[in-house]
Amino acid sequence: MVEKTPTVYDVAEMAGVSIATVSRYFRNPDAVRESTRERVGQVVRDLGYVPSGSARGLAARRTGTVGVCFPSFDDVDRIDARRLGAGPPVRVRVDTDAHQDTGSDLYIAEVVRGTEIEAWRHGFAVMIAVPRGAAAHNVVEGLAGRVDGLVTLARAIDPDQLAHISRRIPVVMVAGPRDGDVYDHVTANNHGGMVALTDHLITEHRLTRLEFVGGPEDSPDAQVRFEGFTEAMLLAGLGVPERPIARSDFTRVGGRETGRLLLAERRLEGIDGLVCANDQSALGILDELTAAGVRVPQDLAVTGFDGIEASNVSTPRLSTVRQPMVELGRLAVAQLLRRLAEPMTEPSTRVLGVEVLLRDSCGAHATSTP
Amino acid sequence: MVEKTPTVYDVAEMAGVSIATVSRYFRNPDAVRESTRERVGQVVRDLGYVPSGSARGLAARRTGTVGVCFPSFDDVDRIDARRLGAGPPVRVRVDTDAHQDTGSDLYIAEVVRGTEIEAWRHGFAVMIAVPRGAAAHNVVEGLAGRVDGLVTLARAIDPDQLAHISRRIPVVMVAGPRDGDVYDHVTANNHGGMVALTDHLITEHRLTRLEFVGGPEDSPDAQVRFEGFTEAMLLAGLGVPERPIARSDFTRVGGRETGRLLLAERRLEGIDGLVCANDQSALGILDELTAAGVRVPQDLAVTGFDGIEASNVSTPRLSTVRQPMVELGRLAVAQLLRRLAEPMTEPSTRVLGVEVLLRDSCGAHATSTP
DNA sequence: TTGTACGCGTTATCAA
DNA sequence: TTGATAACGCGTACAA
């Protein structure tokens, strides 16, 4: 990095060819005679030449990059407070707390992984961004200017800004319902999954007094799941709560707060099941119930939604609805590239199937797998 | 996206200003008179104008993006085989297998999260790439051409190619030792952590017949951990295995295979502790030991390394060494930006402290936290 | 198979 | 405070 970064011109000159040939060397090597190809290749190595993505993007009018935008549930301030690299080289301590939260959102991590895989398959790079803080708009605008298309999780981008940038690049929304908007959507069958799960609690486990723990007010997914819950209750002829018994913020820490609140106010008495809007909330609540001596599922059934790995190894293991997270990401990118190729087709909505996973937190099951 | 994407020229013309003023509107709004600023802003909104990142990058000679490169342990082919969006809308099944592996690597996810946070704090975007498959070189080259600097996990990039691209942009390596190379490094105290953990097994739990389960042959971290293990054994005057009793590939699935192998060949008899090179391997082995009726830690102690969340909720909870994964990512980016500002300083190596977490898989502890 | 020449959409430097 | 204009590094017709 001491040297001035070489350009096509430098390579061309040293190899005794034109810049067009250097360009061909990278984009279409077969169109270059072998002897020239070797000569160019040698110079490229000697000079440490790497083509400029900016110049390429400008000239070709496409960046070969897809953007992925997602909301942040992590507490950056708290992480920020942790001084970088502080602490002794090795610290040894007995760790008795099974309930720490790393703060990472597995659901998002899996979706992002899916986008990366599909992008990779098509030779695209992935640029990620989290619009948080005061500069959220700049983050999104910067991203939109640098990519050929954008995948965004619901609620990550301000709707007005989304409308603005979608005039420049196609946008695919992951999760969240279409409310008359014009974007492509990829989502999972939240409604059906929640109906089936709730129905299972009612039909198989004979639970009648169920309550719902909601998510953030503005989460369409949480809303749809609540509707699925009430629908199943209605169909079974049971009394339907008008609203969630509590709301959590989709984090495990938030779930624990909710759990403490419900316990402290004795609002769980007479309830035989707690249907939660997502896994992390359910796990947080589970933490507190266990700590308080409430037996799950004997005293109270608890269920989640998403199917993150943590739900599979909790004690008790959490019954939940698994969303195909990696596939959501993959399909979003696939749809994005499709639209890049065919801009004028109608906006599409793709609803992926879900899987109700019956484990231990909702009650006992026969051990035979159908 | 029907409309032709507008440029500075379009905005300038409609607002009755020069392109320079439009550029100022974005880069230094205060240098524009308020009345003109409003006029330009209005046109920007009307037109749906978003500045081109490629053009910016070309003109400014910096992209405002950092690249993050990491290896892939996921089996893309298997994921690929899963047909996109296949399956019924809702499937219900009893899920008795507590040992599924989602395939996601939490360690990497956390490091990436750290890079994103630090990049965000400095107004940088993050581009991720996984050099896998035949086109691995292209992936890396494309990334290198599109970013101002690169953070890479050890082993993600072919050394020759790394040397090549590092002539264009600064590179910071995460994990892995410096072997006389010229990059900045950010790593954790693998050696010290493993010494302390092994010493704990020997001193506190009086274990004498320990074996080490290694990682991939080419993983320097795995190698260093093995050395830490042998060092502690030596210091205690115990017999030192010349090599790991087995090697796993850092995945849980691989760990299970290793576990089955060791059980089938009865190579665990006479052993009282299994020190594993990382958490995922340890968890996989734990899965198999539990299934085979081996009691951990009574019959056999097992330990991991990394401190991923899964290690905290396994049964039994896994004693391990926690690396500060988010901080590794953050510090890597911080160092990258520092070098971008000061290119000529000496390559630095930063070793972050680790934490030995004593939980249940190594034996009982007093419940007091020091 | 190779070369010429123009355009891509910004930033930044000077002048005005 | 604003404008004219020269880079920036590459892709790509088109021509040779």
Side-chain angles (χ1 to χ4, degrees), chain B residues 37-221:
Chain B
R37 202 191 310 157
E38 281 173 7
R39 211 150 20 98
V40 174
Q42 191 56 50
V43 174
V44 165
R45 281 185 295 278
D46 288 349
L47 252 35
Y49 170 72
V50 176
S52 153
S54 296
R56 284 188 155 172
L58 184 55
R61 264 161 306 194
R62 19 163 287 138
T63 61
T65 305
V66 302
V68 178
C69 220
F70 47 92
S72 152
F73 298 125
D74 52 18
D75 186 347
V76 173
D77 290 334
R78 197 193 36 158
I79 290 176
D80 232 35
R82 231 182 286 169
R83 265 194 49 231
L84 287 183
V90 181
R91 191 172 154 216
V92 181
R93 67 181 179 86
V94 177
D95 174 30
T96 52
D97 183 4
H99 308 308
Q100 296 171 54
D101 193 6
T102 67
S104 89
D105 187 317
L106 279 316
Y107 170 82
I108 289 176
E110 291 288 279
V111 173
V112 171
R113 199 160 69 94
T115 63
E116 189 280 325
I117 289 173
E118 191 66 13
W120 167 81
R121 293 183 61 233
H122 295 275
F124 275 69
V126 172
M127 187 166 244
I128 61 175
V130 179
R132 59 162 92 74
H137 269 61
N138 298 322
V139 170
V140 173
E141 184 169 283
L143 183 64
R146 284 188 267 233
V147 301
D148 293 332
L150 191 58
V151 170
T152 177
L153 296 208
R155 297 189 309 141
I157 302 182
D158 166 60
D160 288 339
Q161 190 175 24
L162 196 56
H164 185 244
I165 63 175
S166 68
R167 296 176 64 181
R168 168 180 245 263
I169 51 171
V171 169
V172 175
M173 192 104 89
V174 173
R178 145 165 300 131
D179 2 277
D181 63 35
V182 296
Y183 314 110
D184 289 318
H185 277 68
V186 179
T187 180
N189 193 347
N190 286 286
H191 185 270
M194 190 51 100
V195 169
L197 176 62
T198 307
D199 180 66
H200 167 81
L201 296 177
I202 299 170
T203 310
E204 298 294 322
H205 299 296
R206 304 287 170 196
L207 305 183
T208 56
R209 307 217 29 191
L210 299 173
E211 291 284 349
F212 189 85
V213 176
E217 297 259 12
D218 61 337
S219 164
D221 281 350

Side-chain angles (χ1 to χ4, degrees), chain B residues 104-364:
Chain B
S104 89
D105 187 317
L106 279 316
Y107 170 82
I108 289 176
E110 291 288 279
V111 173
V112 171
R113 199 160 69 94
T115 63
E116 189 280 325
I117 289 173
E118 191 66 13
W120 167 81
R121 293 183 61 233
H122 295 275
F124 275 69
V126 172
M127 187 166 244
I128 61 175
V130 179
R132 59 162 92 74
H137 269 61
N138 298 322
V139 170
V140 173
E141 184 169 283
L143 183 64
R146 284 188 267 233
V147 301
D148 293 332
L150 191 58
V151 170
T152 177
L153 296 208
R155 297 189 309 141
I157 302 182
D158 166 60
D160 288 339
Q161 190 175 24
L162 196 56
H164 185 244
I165 63 175
S166 68
R167 296 176 64 181
R168 168 180 245 263
I169 51 171
V171 169
V172 175
M173 192 104 89
V174 173
R178 145 165 300 131
D179 2 277
D181 63 35
V182 296
Y183 314 110
D184 289 318
H185 277 68
V186 179
T187 180
N189 193 347
N190 286 286
H191 185 270
M194 190 51 100
V195 169
L197 176 62
T198 307
D199 180 66
H200 167 81
L201 296 177
I202 299 170
T203 310
E204 298 294 322
H205 299 296
R206 304 287 170 196
L207 305 183
T208 56
R209 307 217 29 191
L210 299 173
E211 291 284 349
F212 189 85
V213 176
E217 297 259 12
D218 61 337
S219 164
D221 281 350
Q223 179 57 29
V224 168
R225 291 172 199 166
F226 179 57
E227 289 164 10
F229 166 77
T230 56
E231 182 173 318
M233 293 286 278
L234 262 182
L235 282 174
L238 294 176
V240 176
E242 277 198 25
R243 61 179 56 93
I245 190 173
R247 285 188 183 280
S248 183
D249 61 357
F250 275 176
T251 71
R252 188 162 184 160
V253 170
R256 297 180 70 178
E257 280 172 22
T258 304
R260 279 195 295 274
L261 184 74
L262 292 175
L263 284 164
E265 300 184 353
R266 303 187 168 283
R267 291 165 55 196
L268 264 20
E269 294 173 6
I271 303 300
D272 47 26
L274 225 36
V275 175
C276 304
N278 81 335
D279 284 346
Q280 316 239 31
S281 309
L283 291 171
I285 289 174
L286 214 51
D287 291 341
E288 293 298 324
L289 292 178
T290 305
V294 178
R295 294 171 309 163
V296 176
Q298 296 88 335
D299 301 336
L300 186 67
V302 174
T303 63
F305 205 107
D306 279 349
I308 62 173
E309 182 164 3
S311 73
N312 191 34
V313 292
S314 57
T315 310
R317 294 172 60 234
L318 191 65
S319 293
T320 187
V321 179
R322 195 187 84 84
Q323 298 201 58
M325 297 169 280
V326 172
E327 280 74 16
L328 282 173
R330 287 192 59 192
L331 274 170
V333 169
Q335 175 57 34
L336 194 56
L337 300 182
R338 204 173 303 132
R339 179 156 302 283
L340 242 17
E342 302 253 7
M344 300 303 293
T345 52
E346 285 292 297
S348 78
T349 297
R350 187 75 180 274
V351 181
L352 299 191
V354 297
E355 219 175 15
V356 178
L357 299 178
L358 306 177
R359 304 204 278 227
D360 304 329
S361 71
C362 65

Side-chain angles (χ1 to χ4, degrees), chain B residues 8-9 23 27 49 55-56 59:
Chain B
V8 262
Y9 293 102
S23 181
R27 304 204 59 74
Y49 170 72
R56 284 188 155 172

Side-chain angles (χ1 to χ4, degrees), chain A residues 45-56:
Chain A
R45 280 186 294 279
D46 289 349
L47 252 36
Y49 171 71
V50 177
S52 152
S54 296
R56 282 187 156 171

